[in-house]
PDB file of all heavy atoms in Angstrom:
ATOM      1  N   ASP A 258      95.324  97.336 116.004  1.00 98.00           N
ATOM      2  CA  ASP A 258      93.940  96.958 116.316  1.00 98.00           C
ATOM      3  C   ASP A 258      93.814  95.447 116.498  1.00 98.00           C
ATOM      4  O   ASP A 258      93.162  94.980 117.447  1.00 98.00           O
ATOM      5  CB  ASP A 258      93.001  97.417 115.202  1.00 98.00           C
ATOM      6  CG  ASP A 258      92.831  98.925 115.149  1.00 98.00           C
ATOM      7  OD1 ASP A 258      93.145  99.587 116.152  1.00 98.00           O
ATOM      8  OD2 ASP A 258      92.402  99.421 114.100  1.00 98.00           O
ATOM      9  N   PHE A 259      94.428  94.694 115.599  1.00 98.00           N
ATOM     10  CA  PHE A 259      94.261  93.246 115.662  1.00 98.00           C
ATOM     11  C   PHE A 259      95.146  92.624 116.752  1.00 98.00           C
ATOM     12  O   PHE A 259      94.764  91.615 117.362  1.00 98.00           O
ATOM     13  CB  PHE A 259      94.508  92.621 114.299  1.00 98.00           C
ATOM     14  CG  PHE A 259      93.389  92.935 113.335  1.00 98.00           C
ATOM     15  CD1 PHE A 259      93.548  93.903 112.359  1.00 98.00           C
ATOM     16  CD2 PHE A 259      92.170  92.298 113.446  1.00 98.00           C
ATOM     17  CE1 PHE A 259      92.521  94.230 111.501  1.00 98.00           C
ATOM     18  CE2 PHE A 259      91.123  92.611 112.596  1.00 98.00           C
ATOM     19  CZ  PHE A 259      91.285  93.575 111.615  1.00 98.00           C
ATOM     20  N   ALA A 260      96.289  93.215 117.005  1.00 98.00           N
ATOM     21  CA  ALA A 260      97.108  92.755 118.133  1.00 98.00           C
ATOM     22  C   ALA A 260      96.371  92.996 119.445  1.00 98.00           C
ATOM     23  O   ALA A 260      96.321  92.118 120.321  1.00 98.00           O
ATOM     24  CB  ALA A 260      98.450  93.476 118.131  1.00 98.00           C
ATOM     25  N   ASP A 261      95.761  94.169 119.574  1.00 98.00           N
ATOM     26  CA  ASP A 261      94.995  94.477 120.791  1.00 98.00           C
ATOM     27  C   ASP A 261      93.782  93.558 120.935  1.00 98.00           C
ATOM     28  O   ASP A 261      93.351  93.253 122.054  1.00 98.00           O
ATOM     29  CB  ASP A 261      94.520  95.932 120.762  1.00 98.00           C
ATOM     30  CG  ASP A 261      95.655  96.937 120.927  1.00 98.00           C
ATOM     31  OD1 ASP A 261      96.745  96.533 121.397  1.00 98.00           O
ATOM     32  OD2 ASP A 261      95.462  98.115 120.566  1.00 98.00           O
ATOM     33  N   ALA A 262      93.229  93.117 119.806  1.00 98.00           N
ATOM     34  CA  ALA A 262      92.042  92.249 119.826  1.00 98.00           C
ATOM     35  C   ALA A 262      92.367  90.825 120.240  1.00 98.00           C
ATOM     36  O   ALA A 262      91.462  90.060 120.572  1.00 98.00           O
ATOM     37  CB  ALA A 262      91.378  92.250 118.462  1.00 98.00           C
ATOM     38  N   GLY A 263      93.658  90.461 120.210  1.00 98.00           N
ATOM     39  CA  GLY A 263      94.046  89.128 120.652  1.00 98.00           C
ATOM     40  C   GLY A 263      94.614  88.217 119.599  1.00 98.00           C
ATOM     41  O   GLY A 263      94.738  87.003 119.806  1.00 98.00           O
ATOM     42  N   ALA A 264      94.998  88.771 118.449  1.00 98.00           N
ATOM     43  CA  ALA A 264      95.613  87.943 117.403  1.00 98.00           C
ATOM     44  C   ALA A 264      96.919  87.351 117.907  1.00 98.00           C
ATOM     45  O   ALA A 264      97.718  88.044 118.548  1.00 98.00           O
ATOM     46  CB  ALA A 264      95.860  88.768 116.152  1.00 98.00           C
ATOM     47  N   ASP A 265      97.154  86.091 117.631  1.00 98.00           N
ATOM     48  CA  ASP A 265      98.428  85.445 117.962  1.00 98.00           C
ATOM     49  C   ASP A 265      99.333  85.380 116.731  1.00 98.00           C
ATOM     50  O   ASP A 265     100.544  85.544 116.837  1.00 98.00           O
ATOM     51  CB  ASP A 265      98.162  84.032 118.497  1.00 98.00           C
ATOM     52  CG  ASP A 265      97.391  84.069 119.791  1.00 98.00           C
ATOM     53  OD1 ASP A 265      98.004  84.329 120.838  1.00 98.00           O
ATOM     54  OD2 ASP A 265      96.152  83.867 119.772  1.00 98.00           O
ATOM     55  N   ILE A 266      98.730  85.110 115.584  1.00 98.00           N
ATOM     56  CA  ILE A 266      99.419  85.124 114.293  1.00 98.00           C
ATOM     57  C   ILE A 266      98.685  86.131 113.416  1.00 98.00           C
ATOM     58  O   ILE A 266      97.447  86.131 113.360  1.00 98.00           O
ATOM     59  CB  ILE A 266      99.376  83.747 113.603  1.00 98.00           C
ATOM     60  CG1 ILE A 266      99.966  82.661 114.503  1.00 98.00           C
ATOM     61  CG2 ILE A 266     100.119  83.775 112.263  1.00 98.00           C
ATOM     62  CD1 ILE A 266      99.654  81.245 114.018  1.00 98.00           C
ATOM     63  N   ILE A 267      99.434  87.002 112.750  1.00 98.00           N
ATOM     64  CA  ILE A 267      98.819  87.931 111.804  1.00 98.00           C
ATOM     65  C   ILE A 267      99.420  87.682 110.436  1.00 98.00           C
ATOM     66  O   ILE A 267     100.630  87.812 110.236  1.00 98.00           O
ATOM     67  CB  ILE A 267      99.002  89.395 112.217  1.00 98.00           C
ATOM     68  CG1 ILE A 267      98.325  89.660 113.570  1.00 98.00           C
ATOM     69  CG2 ILE A 267      98.421  90.328 111.146  1.00 98.00           C
ATOM     70  CD1 ILE A 267      98.471  91.090 114.067  1.00 98.00           C
ATOM     71  N   THR A 268      98.563  87.295 109.504  1.00 98.00           N
ATOM     72  CA  THR A 268      98.964  87.042 108.117  1.00 98.00           C
ATOM     73  C   THR A 268      98.438  88.159 107.239  1.00 98.00           C
ATOM     74  O   THR A 268      97.271  88.548 107.357  1.00 98.00           O
ATOM     75  CB  THR A 268      98.374  85.707 107.631  1.00 98.00           C
ATOM     76  OG1 THR A 268      98.773  84.653 108.501  1.00 98.00           O
ATOM     77  CG2 THR A 268      98.826  85.392 106.205  1.00 98.00           C
ATOM     78  N   PHE A 269      99.289  88.670 106.364  1.00 98.00           N
ATOM     79  CA  PHE A 269      98.831  89.645 105.381  1.00 98.00           C
ATOM     80  C   PHE A 269      99.400  89.278 104.028  1.00 98.00           C
ATOM     81  O   PHE A 269     100.284  88.419 103.927  1.00 98.00           O
ATOM     82  CB  PHE A 269      99.206  91.081 105.786  1.00 98.00           C
ATOM     83  CG  PHE A 269     100.684  91.382 105.730  1.00 98.00           C
ATOM     84  CD1 PHE A 269     101.234  92.062 104.656  1.00 98.00           C
ATOM     85  CD2 PHE A 269     101.538  90.989 106.764  1.00 98.00           C
ATOM     86  CE1 PHE A 269     102.595  92.350 104.594  1.00 98.00           C
ATOM     87  CE2 PHE A 269     102.894  91.265 106.716  1.00 98.00           C
ATOM     88  CZ  PHE A 269     103.431  91.952 105.629  1.00 98.00           C
ATOM     89  N   HIS A 270      98.928  89.937 102.978  1.00 98.00           N
ATOM     90  CA  HIS A 270      99.267  89.545 101.619  1.00 98.00           C
ATOM     91  C   HIS A 270     100.422  90.345 101.036  1.00 98.00           C
ATOM     92  O   HIS A 270     100.489  91.569 101.214  1.00 98.00           O
ATOM     93  CB  HIS A 270      98.043  89.682 100.707  1.00 98.00           C
ATOM     94  CG  HIS A 270      97.134  88.505 100.784  1.00 98.00           C
ATOM     95  ND1 HIS A 270      97.141  87.499  99.826  1.00 98.00           N
ATOM     96  CD2 HIS A 270      96.216  88.138 101.718  1.00 98.00           C
ATOM     97  CE1 HIS A 270      96.250  86.580 100.163  1.00 98.00           C
ATOM     98  NE2 HIS A 270      95.679  86.939 101.294  1.00 98.00           N
ATOM     99  N   THR A 271     101.282  89.646 100.302  1.00 98.00           N
ATOM    100  CA  THR A 271     102.349  90.343  99.578  1.00 98.00           C
ATOM    101  C   THR A 271     101.771  91.313  98.557  1.00 98.00           C
ATOM    102  O   THR A 271     102.424  92.296  98.200  1.00 98.00           O
ATOM    103  CB  THR A 271     103.253  89.332  98.836  1.00 98.00           C
ATOM    104  OG1 THR A 271     102.453  88.575  97.916  1.00 98.00           O
ATOM    105  CG2 THR A 271     103.945  88.384  99.799  1.00 98.00           C
ATOM    106  N   GLU A 272     100.551  91.060  98.104  1.00 97.00           N
ATOM    107  CA  GLU A 272      99.923  91.897  97.090  1.00 97.00           C
ATOM    108  C   GLU A 272      99.270  93.152  97.662  1.00 97.00           C
ATOM    109  O   GLU A 272      98.768  93.988  96.907  1.00 97.00           O
ATOM    110  CB  GLU A 272      98.866  91.096  96.326  1.00 97.00           C
ATOM    111  CG  GLU A 272      99.379  89.796  95.713  1.00 97.00           C
ATOM    112  CD  GLU A 272      99.211  88.596  96.651  1.00 97.00           C
ATOM    113  OE1 GLU A 272      98.811  88.802  97.822  1.00 97.00           O
ATOM    114  OE2 GLU A 272      99.483  87.476  96.201  1.00 97.00           O
ATOM    115  N   ALA A 273      99.233  93.296  98.999  1.00 97.00           N
ATOM    116  CA  ALA A 273      98.619  94.461  99.622  1.00 97.00           C
ATOM    117  C   ALA A 273      99.475  95.709  99.388  1.00 97.00           C
ATOM    118  O   ALA A 273     100.608  95.632  98.899  1.00 97.00           O
ATOM    119  CB  ALA A 273      98.431  94.215 101.118  1.00 97.00           C
ATOM    120  N   ASP A 274      98.941  96.861  99.750  1.00 97.00           N
ATOM    121  CA  ASP A 274      99.602  98.140  99.462  1.00 97.00           C
ATOM    122  C   ASP A 274     100.652  98.539 100.494  1.00 97.00           C
ATOM    123  O   ASP A 274     101.529  99.366 100.199  1.00 97.00           O
ATOM    124  CB  ASP A 274      98.554  99.255  99.356  1.00 97.00           C
ATOM    125  CG  ASP A 274      97.605  99.046  98.187  1.00 97.00           C
ATOM    126  OD1 ASP A 274      98.022  98.411  97.199  1.00 97.00           O
ATOM    127  OD2 ASP A 274      96.459  99.520  98.271  1.00 97.00           O
ATOM    128  N   SER A 275     100.583  98.023 101.713  1.00 97.00           N
ATOM    129  CA  SER A 275     101.533  98.409 102.746  1.00 97.00           C
ATOM    130  C   SER A 275     102.929  97.863 102.472  1.00 97.00           C
ATOM    131  O   SER A 275     103.080  96.813 101.846  1.00 97.00           O
ATOM    132  CB  SER A 275     101.057  97.885 104.111  1.00 97.00           C
ATOM    133  OG  SER A 275      99.839  98.476 104.498  1.00 97.00           O
ATOM    134  N   ASP A 276     103.940  98.582 102.942  1.00 98.00           N
ATOM    135  CA  ASP A 276     105.315  98.117 102.836  1.00 98.00           C
ATOM    136  C   ASP A 276     105.442  96.779 103.587  1.00 98.00           C
ATOM    137  O   ASP A 276     105.116  96.694 104.775  1.00 98.00           O
ATOM    138  CB  ASP A 276     106.261  99.155 103.432  1.00 98.00           C
ATOM    139  CG  ASP A 276     107.708  98.744 103.353  1.00 98.00           C
ATOM    140  OD1 ASP A 276     108.180  98.020 104.262  1.00 98.00           O
ATOM    141  OD2 ASP A 276     108.383  99.121 102.365  1.00 98.00           O
ATOM    142  N   ILE A 277     105.916  95.751 102.900  1.00 98.00           N
ATOM    143  CA  ILE A 277     105.949  94.413 103.497  1.00 98.00           C
ATOM    144  C   ILE A 277     106.885  94.353 104.692  1.00 98.00           C
ATOM    145  O   ILE A 277     106.504  93.866 105.768  1.00 98.00           O
ATOM    146  CB  ILE A 277     106.351  93.361 102.441  1.00 98.00           C
ATOM    147  CG1 ILE A 277     105.293  93.279 101.340  1.00 98.00           C
ATOM    148  CG2 ILE A 277     106.538  91.981 103.098  1.00 98.00           C
ATOM    149  CD1 ILE A 277     105.653  92.345 100.199  1.00 98.00           C
ATOM    150  N   GLY A 278     108.101  94.865 104.542  1.00 98.00           N
ATOM    151  CA  GLY A 278     109.070  94.803 105.629  1.00 98.00           C
ATOM    152  C   GLY A 278     108.597  95.539 106.873  1.00 98.00           C
ATOM    153  O   GLY A 278     108.714  95.026 108.003  1.00 98.00           O
ATOM    154  N   LYS A 279     108.039  96.723 106.692  1.00 98.00           N
ATOM    155  CA  LYS A 279     107.547  97.511 107.827  1.00 98.00           C
ATOM    156  C   LYS A 279     106.379  96.801 108.513  1.00 98.00           C
ATOM    157  O   LYS A 279     106.247  96.832 109.744  1.00 98.00           O
ATOM    158  CB  LYS A 279     107.125  98.900 107.370  1.00 98.00           C
ATOM    159  CG  LYS A 279     108.285  99.810 106.966  1.00 98.00           C
ATOM    160  CD  LYS A 279     107.776 101.171 106.522  1.00 98.00           C
ATOM    161  CE  LYS A 279     108.930 102.077 106.114  1.00 98.00           C
ATOM    162  NZ  LYS A 279     108.443 103.411 105.635  1.00 98.00           N
ATOM    163  N   THR A 280     105.533  96.175 107.719  1.00 98.00           N
ATOM    164  CA  THR A 280     104.373  95.491 108.294  1.00 98.00           C
ATOM    165  C   THR A 280     104.808  94.263 109.074  1.00 98.00           C
ATOM    166  O   THR A 280     104.298  94.010 110.181  1.00 98.00           O
ATOM    167  CB  THR A 280     103.381  95.104 107.184  1.00 98.00           C
ATOM    168  OG1 THR A 280     103.064  96.262 106.403  1.00 98.00           O
ATOM    169  CG2 THR A 280     102.093  94.553 107.778  1.00 98.00           C
ATOM    170  N   VAL A 281     105.749  93.498 108.536  1.00 98.00           N
ATOM    171  CA  VAL A 281     106.287  92.345 109.273  1.00 98.00           C
ATOM    172  C   VAL A 281     106.883  92.786 110.592  1.00 98.00           C
ATOM    173  O   VAL A 281     106.615  92.213 111.662  1.00 98.00           O
ATOM    174  CB  VAL A 281     107.333  91.593 108.419  1.00 98.00           C
ATOM    175  CG1 VAL A 281     108.099  90.579 109.273  1.00 98.00           C
ATOM    176  CG2 VAL A 281     106.672  90.893 107.245  1.00 98.00           C
ATOM    177  N   ASP A 282     107.702  93.850 110.558  1.00 98.00           N
ATOM    178  CA  ASP A 282     108.340  94.336 111.769  1.00 98.00           C
ATOM    179  C   ASP A 282     107.325  94.829 112.796  1.00 98.00           C
ATOM    180  O   ASP A 282     107.491  94.636 114.008  1.00 98.00           O
ATOM    181  CB  ASP A 282     109.310  95.476 111.439  1.00 98.00           C
ATOM    182  CG  ASP A 282     110.559  94.983 110.722  1.00 98.00           C
ATOM    183  OD1 ASP A 282     110.845  93.769 110.776  1.00 98.00           O
ATOM    184  OD2 ASP A 282     111.243  95.823 110.089  1.00 98.00           O
ATOM    185  N   LYS A 283     106.255  95.458 112.321  1.00 98.00           N
ATOM    186  CA  LYS A 283     105.220  95.954 113.226  1.00 98.00           C
ATOM    187  C   LYS A 283     104.514  94.806 113.925  1.00 98.00           C
ATOM    188  O   LYS A 283     104.258  94.859 115.139  1.00 98.00           O
ATOM    189  CB  LYS A 283     104.206  96.785 112.424  1.00 98.00           C
ATOM    190  CG  LYS A 283     103.053  97.345 113.261  1.00 98.00           C
ATOM    191  CD  LYS A 283     103.525  98.385 114.258  1.00 98.00           C
ATOM    192  CE  LYS A 283     102.348  99.042 114.963  1.00 98.00           C
ATOM    193  NZ  LYS A 283     102.786 100.061 115.933  1.00 98.00           N
TER     194      LYS A 283
END
């Protein structure tokens, strides 16, 4: 959603629930 919206950099938190490695790769 955010890539489609035009994000150039996407930052997320290590404390979030998603798998960090998979999210970075995505």
Side-chain angles (χ1 to χ4, degrees):
D258 290 341
F259 289 103
D261 290 342
D265 296 281
I266 304 167
I267 298 179
T268 304
F269 69 100
H270 277 260
T271 59
E272 305 92 354
D274 296 333
S275 296
D276 181 274
I277 296 175
K279 289 180 180 178
T280 307
V281 168
D282 288 342
K283 179 67 173 180

